[in-house]
Amino acid sequence: MSDLKQLLENNARWAEDIKRRDPDFFAKLAKQQVPEYLWIGCSDARVPANEIVGMLPGDLFVHRNVANVVLHTDLNCLSVVQYAVDVLKVKHILVTGHYGCGGVRASMRDTQYGLIDGWLRSIRDLYYEHREHLASFATEDARVDRLCELNVIQQVANVSHTTIVQNAWHRGQSLSVHGCIYGIKDGIWKDLNVTVSGMDQLPPQYRLRPPGNN
């Protein structure tokens, strides 16, 4: 327990500070969860979702994994997306990468890292697909940062191609998928301007008809 003493003390101060500003905050929070945003981000400890966008607990529904990847075989991620979209009725999905991502950097090298190699395979494929474009950048760090952006753009597409998101649009639900990136060096969260808000923005081969209209 002694190893947790500092964390427990930090928590007590944090809770007290919240209650001092809003005595009913935790009572209201316990009754409902009505966030308008789903954050899909990287597990990197330097990228705290709520703090980056200045939101309190309850304002942001969060899923994080190494390199903010959205795979169509990842039931964990897809379950979070479905709950957020179908139950919580979030209006915005924020796919957020960050510059200097270690997972993205690892996908650009021929080193074996273990189980994580399979997870990063889709980014390695993306790196190969854009290899000529990335080669135009002068340094490895610049290439990594550009691939971080390209990875976010790809994950926005992956989210938009899910039946979860497309069925929400078929129902007329207001839902937008945004691609953003965070700079650890300056703390700035940037919109990559790749927002998808409806079926008409998808390539025809990815547009799925509503259930029962096959």
Side-chain angles (χ1 to χ4, degrees):
M1 180 62 74
S2 59
D3 291 341
L4 299 180
K5 183 178 179 181
Q6 184 63 55
L7 300 182
L8 293 168
E9 291 175 353
N10 291 347
N11 170 256
R13 284 192 296 270
W14 172 79
E16 188 59 36
D17 183 57
I18 293 287
K19 286 186 287 187
R20 185 166 49 250
R21 285 182 282 160
D22 183 356
D24 298 323
F25 178 82
F26 290 109
K28 291 183 291 186
L29 190 65
K31 291 179 180 179
Q32 61 181 345
Q33 177 181 220
V34 286
E36 292 191 5
Y37 304 92
L38 165 62
W39 174 287
I40 299 177
C42 183
S43 299
D44 193 302
R46 300 167 296 175
V47 189
N50 285 70
E51 292 181 36
I52 287 172
V53 290
M55 288 187 169
L56 290 169
D59 294 334
L60 204 63
F61 198 57
V62 176
H63 174 80
R64 296 170 69 175
N65 62 52
V66 175
N68 44 273
V69 173
V70 179
L71 299 176
H72 297 293
T73 53
D74 181 4
L75 296 182
N76 185 353
C77 180
L78 295 182
S79 295
V80 171
V81 173
Q82 182 166 33
Y83 187 81
V85 172
D86 293 351
V87 179
L88 298 177
K89 306 295 184 184
V90 298
K91 295 180 180 178
H92 304 276
I93 298 177
L94 312 173
V95 180
T96 298
H98 67 94
Y99 291 121
C101 179
V104 171
R105 190 182 299 273
S107 72
M108 299 171 67
R109 296 175 172 173
D110 59 6
T111 305
Q112 286 195 38
Y113 296 95
L115 184 63
I116 192 68
D117 294 326
W119 179 257
L120 297 176
R121 176 59 187 271
S122 64
I123 307 179
R124 191 179 298 277
D125 292 342
L126 192 66
Y127 174 49
Y128 183 75
E129 178 184 349
H130 293 279
R131 62 194 181 281
E132 293 181 4
H133 168 64
L134 293 167
S136 67
F137 291 82
T139 66
E140 181 188 34
D141 285 346
R143 290 190 289 274
V144 169
D145 286 350
R146 179 54 181 156
L147 187 56
C148 288
E149 294 177 340
L150 294 172
N151 182 45
V152 168
I153 294 168
Q154 181 61 57
Q155 305 317 319
V156 167
N158 288 351
V159 173
S160 302
H161 297 165
T162 64
T163 56
I164 301 164
V165 169
Q166 293 193 29
N167 285 338
W169 289 331
H170 286 312
R171 293 192 300 267
Q173 190 171 329
S174 176
L175 180 64
S176 295
V177 185
H178 310 269
C180 306
I181 196 157
Y182 174 69
I184 292 175
K185 293 180 179 179
D186 59 14
I188 300 300
W189 184 61
K190 184 172 69 175
D191 184 357
L192 290 176
N193 297 311
V194 290
T195 295
V196 182
S197 300
M199 300 285 290
D200 59 319
Q201 293 177 260
L202 302 181
Q205 68 268 30
Y206 293 110
R207 299 177 192 173
L208 304 174
R209 286 179 286 184
N213 286 280
N214 297 323

